[in-house]
Amino acid sequence: MKPIFIAGPCVIESEQLLNAVAEVLIGINTRLGIDIIFKSSFDKANRTSASSFRGPGIDKGLQMLLDVKSKYGLRILTDIHESWQAAPAGEVADVLQIPAFLCRQTDLLAAAAHTGRTVNIKKAQFLSGRDMRYPVEKALDAGASEVWLTERGNTFGYNNLVVDFRNIPDMLEVVPRVIMDCTHSVQRPGAGAGKTIGDRRFVPSMAMAAKAFGATGYFFEVHPNPDKALSDGPNMLPIHQLEEVLKKLI
C-alpha cells in the first residue's frame, strides 16, 4: 500500500500562494513518483480569536481550489465546518476533511458521506484512537465510499498537545488508512496570547515516529515563508524542506 501524502498552506491567502505551492508539489511528484494531494482551507472557522484571518470564504475559495485542480491536475483536500458546505465542496474536492473538534457531529459526517467523496476524519483532541470507530460508523452508515482517520494529538487544556502514537495502530483496526498530521501535532493551542503557536522543529520527527507505528499517510501544512503565514505559521513546514522529509518516509 503506497503512502498518502497531503500538503499545502493552512488557509487560502492568495492565488499567488496557491500557485507557488502547487508548482513545488508538482515538481516533487515528478521527481519522487508520488501523488501529493493539495490541501488548503477556504474558511478557518475555528481560529482562536475572532480577529484572526479566516480565508476568502466558500464561493471564492472553492473557485481558487478548482483553478489549482484544473491548472496542475492535483487532487484537492479541504475541510468543512457545517453540513451545508459539503455539497459545494464535494463538487471540487476529492477528499472532504472533518475537523477534529467536529468529528462527532453526526449531520456533518452524513453530509460529507453523501457527496461520494473520500471522508478524512481528524481524531478529536479529546478522544482515543479506539473511540474513532463511532464517527467512522456514522460516515459509513450514511454511504461513505471511503473513510480515512487522522491522528493529531490530544490536549488537556494546558496549551499543549501530546501524541500517543499507539492511536495509529488502534485506528488501523477501524480503517485501512490512518494519516499522521505532522504539523498540527506540534501545536501549542492558545499559548500565543490569543493565537495558537507551536514548534515546527519537531515536524520531521513526528512523521518518522508515525511511520514506525504503521501510519499509511502523512499530512503537512507547508508555506514558502511560514513566519509570514496568516494562519498556523509556527507549525507549518517551510516548503523547501518538504522533499527531504518525504524522501525519508518513502
Side-chain angles (χ1 to χ4, degrees):
M1 182 183 291
K2 289 186 176 181
I4 294 167
F5 297 112
I6 302 163
C10 178
V11 66
I12 298 172
E13 298 178 17
S14 67
E15 181 180 355
Q16 291 75 17
L17 173 65
L18 296 188
N19 285 330
V21 172
E23 288 172 3
V24 173
L25 298 187
I26 286 293
I28 295 173
N29 280 345
T30 299
R31 289 187 293 274
L32 301 187
I34 58 177
D35 180 23
I36 301 171
I37 300 170
F38 185 95
K39 183 270 171 183
S40 198
S41 300
F42 55 80
D43 180 20
K44 299 298 292 184
N46 56 354
R47 299 299 306 274
T48 302
S49 170
S51 62
S52 298
F53 179 75
R54 287 181 54 167
I58 189 167
D59 294 333
K60 185 177 181 180
L62 287 178
Q63 182 59 56
M64 295 169 79
L65 291 174
L66 180 59
D67 291 343
V68 169
K69 187 174 188 176
S70 301
K71 183 176 181 180
Y72 299 99
L74 291 164
R75 291 188 290 162
I76 300 293
L77 179 149
T78 197
D79 39 19
I80 57 173
H81 293 83
E82 299 182 55
S83 300
W84 67 267
Q85 296 174 339
E91 293 294 319
V92 174
D94 302 273
V95 183
L96 293 180
Q97 182 165 276
I98 307 300
F101 281 128
L102 301 178
C103 76
R104 288 171 47 159
Q105 297 298 108
T106 304
D107 291 345
L108 183 63
L109 290 163
H114 291 158
T115 67
R117 299 298 193 176
T118 298
V119 180
N120 182 36
I121 310 173
K122 299 186 80 171
K123 182 185 71 64
Q125 296 92 326
F126 50 83
L127 293 178
S128 72
R130 289 193 171 95
D131 290 329
M132 292 306 293
R133 70 176 60 254
Y134 304 108
V136 170
E137 287 175 358
K138 292 178 181 181
L140 293 176
D141 287 347
S145 58
E146 185 174 12
V147 180
W148 303 343
L149 290 175
T150 293
E151 166 63 30
R152 53 99 72 246
N154 285 79
T155 185
F156 301 94
Y158 297 97
N159 304 126
N160 209 345
L161 289 170
V162 176
V163 178
D164 183 345
F165 288 97
R166 295 173 296 182
N167 282 324
I168 294 173
D170 283 348
M171 290 192 290
L172 283 169
E173 295 180 6
V174 181
V175 293
R177 286 289 193 183
V178 173
I179 315 296
M180 181 66 202
D181 186 339
C182 306
T183 41
H184 287 97
S185 58
V186 303
Q187 286 181 333
R188 296 184 184 273
K195 62 182 180 180
T196 289
I197 58 173
D199 195 336
R200 69 176 70 99
R201 290 180 303 158
F202 299 114
V203 169
S205 299
M206 287 289 184
M208 296 307 295
K211 180 178 180 179
F213 277 84
T216 63
Y218 306 89
F219 179 111
F220 300 93
E221 287 191 332
V222 295
H223 196 285
N225 188 353
D227 291 333
K228 300 292 185 181
L230 299 180
S231 175
D232 227 10
N235 312 295
M236 283 199 279
L237 192 70
I239 196 166
H240 69 271
Q241 296 179 11
L242 178 63
E243 187 165 357
E244 287 304 309
V245 176
L246 296 185
K247 284 180 180 178
K248 292 179 181 178
L249 292 171
I250 295 168

